[in-house]
Amino acid sequence: MSPSRNYYIKINSNVDIFDNVFGNTEIDNNRPAPFWINGALGEISIKRCQFTRVVSLRKESEGNIVNSDSTTKIIFEDCQFNNCGLDSSKSLVHFKGTGPGSARFTGCSFYYDDATKSCQVIHIQSSDVIFDSCIFTRCEEDTIKFSIAAGSLKIMHQIKLIQRVQVSSK
């Protein structure tokens, strides 16, 4: 399947997404990301969802899970991201603009069978990002990489780093 769009689900209003499984039987970079968030929506919650081998179209300017051109706050709670990458050139969540969007990851796990196929968690230019009680397994360096001109990064409570991960700001 090779859809002409870079998303399966376009979100144009506040919505809660919960208890869903998004997955592929094999890694295929010819599929779109599950979500495109468009416009200033306030807050989108994605809770207790599992993403397995979800890799989007092979453009560095696209996220594997979510693409957003909005000022929306995206909240991930208790989500699992399993083998959702091919390399570090892409991110799971990609904010396309420099507006004040934000993201919070609480109780999420990021797991890779092969560390060389891990990707960045988020690409964001100037926003607020919080990681709270997350687990990172076999993630390469720059898994958490920010190019923040304004905003803040908060790492709260306990973060488990299993094997190697490097937090950087470049």
Side-chain angles (χ1 to χ4, degrees):
M1 176 182 203
S2 180
S4 60
R5 300 191 191 275
N6 63 347
Y7 57 86
Y8 284 115
I9 302 167
K10 185 174 184 180
I11 300 171
N12 290 320
S13 63
N14 288 345
V15 65
D16 288 336
I17 299 162
F18 54 92
D19 299 327
N20 287 285
V21 175
F22 301 88
N24 297 309
T25 55
E26 58 188 41
I27 292 177
D28 178 359
N29 65 349
N30 199 29
R31 294 189 170 114
F35 304 110
W36 172 258
I37 298 173
N38 186 32
L41 305 180
E43 190 171 288
I44 303 294
S45 293
I46 302 174
K47 299 177 182 179
R48 299 177 308 278
C49 290
Q50 182 178 349
F51 301 89
T52 301
R53 291 180 293 279
V54 177
V55 178
S56 69
L57 300 171
R58 197 70 200 141
K59 295 179 186 174
E60 288 184 19
S61 62
E62 303 287 334
N64 287 332
I65 307 294
V66 175
N67 289 290
S68 176
D69 68 353
S70 73
T71 57
T72 301
K73 179 178 185 177
I74 304 172
I75 298 171
F76 290 92
E77 289 182 10
D78 301 317
C79 291
Q80 299 173 9
F81 303 90
N82 302 312
N83 296 310
C84 290
L86 290 175
D87 57 44
S88 63
S89 66
K90 293 183 60 156
S91 60
L92 297 175
V93 178
H94 190 98
F95 279 86
K96 296 182 168 294
T98 58
S102 63
R104 179 181 180 112
F105 297 87
T106 302
C108 294
S109 64
F110 304 89
Y111 173 86
Y112 295 92
D113 289 330
D114 180 352
T116 64
K117 294 185 178 179
S118 69
C119 67
Q120 297 172 22
V121 173
I122 189 166
H123 173 86
I124 197 162
Q125 295 297 318
S126 59
S127 299
D128 294 323
V129 179
I130 297 173
F131 287 92
D132 183 356
S133 303
C134 294
I135 299 172
F136 298 84
T137 304
R138 280 190 283 287
C139 297
E140 280 282 30
E141 61 185 49
D142 291 339
T143 293
I144 303 172
K145 180 179 179 180
F146 298 94
S147 302
I148 298 177
S152 64
L153 162 66
K154 295 178 185 173
I155 298 178
M156 303 171 58
H157 299 106
Q158 184 180 30
I159 300 289
K160 286 187 180 180
L161 306 176
I162 301 170
Q163 293 196 1
R164 183 173 94 172
V165 70
Q166 176 181 339
V167 177
S168 66
S169 177
K170 293 180 182 178

